[in-house]
Amino acid sequence: MKKNEIFKPLSKEELAYFCTQLTLIMKSGINLNDGLVMMMDDTKDPLSASLISKISASINDQKQLYVSLKETHAFPDYLISMIKIGEASGHLESVLEGLSSHYMQEANLRTSIKNAIMHPMLLLLLMAAVVSVLLIKILPIFKDVFVQISSQLSNASSTAIQFATQAGVIVLIIIGVILLLILAMFVMSFSTKGKSILIKIFSKAFYFRGLTEKISVARFSSAMSLMLSSGFDNNEALALGKNVATNPRIKAKIIACEEKLNNNESFAKAITESNLFPPIYSQMIRISYKSGMLDDVWKQIADKYDNEVNDSLDNLVSFIEPLLVGVLTVVIGVILISVLLPLMGIMSSIG
């Protein structure tokens, strides 16, 4: 293993699994380094084994866990910051357990978004395949039939075939542009700058604006629940939690809330006046703040927003799929009718 080896960032699923494993190690009372050695022996992936080996070597050098993780460049800043404070406050076990739940939610959200994109993409590919078959295979057959029936192609028949061909080509161009845009967004999502651009675009788009806001609020609420249950105070939780909110509008509201707290306003009042949540959620936070159950309420809010995000994605898919099927049916119908009508006219004149 190279001393300065840098690893690729872990996925949300891998982060959740890693935190779960560390939580189990700590709960069982096993020494952290011994547990890492066990994890390394159990893994079959050479890259994962190398990553764990590097972390274990750093721990052997008397480095703290957050430092060992940071040196690999495979873990996000949020996780490293949480583990750093967890180690300093003596709440590392609860922090790791909360991080496991947090990244599992993130993984589930990512899967829902992937499914919402993949299904329409498959329908678009199917549409492109059907239209291509019509243009390449079916229309030439009709053209040969016209030529054989009437010694030369009539103007009406020629116009019909030309119209059907143009309609098919236009549909293929539109599908190609859509697929290229989706591919470009997929490539951009792998870079920090690309992600930032995509977030700005979707934060202003008509339907996706509300969806991205719900995703940011769900992430922020989940982070708040995790940090408050790990012993953070409200100011510390807000200062760190605002970094997980990607939507600019939601992040601005969280910053406004943080400023109110710094001006000695109560936490409940700051949350209410920032308009971060609907009145019913703000009321829940105010009551829980007085009863000392704030972390539980943040968890409930995160779950509610997660459910709303999943429902929104399901509604989007349930709207797009029938729409694409309808468009495909209309396109095929137009192409076939445009060549069948002249053919029927020719057959009638012959009869």
Side-chain angles (χ1 to χ4, degrees), residues 272 278-289:
T272 302
I280 186 171
Y281 292 156
S282 297
Q283 179 70 15
M284 289 171 61
I285 291 174
R286 285 197 299 270
I287 294 172
S288 64
Y289 179 70

Side-chain angles (χ1 to χ4, degrees), residues 232-256:
F232 289 65
D233 63 33
N234 295 322
N235 294 60
E236 290 174 332
L238 271 176
L240 193 57
K242 68 185 178 186
N243 296 322
V244 303
T246 53
N247 183 278
R249 188 163 174 264
I250 297 301
K251 192 166 187 175
K253 289 183 178 182
I254 298 171
I255 293 173

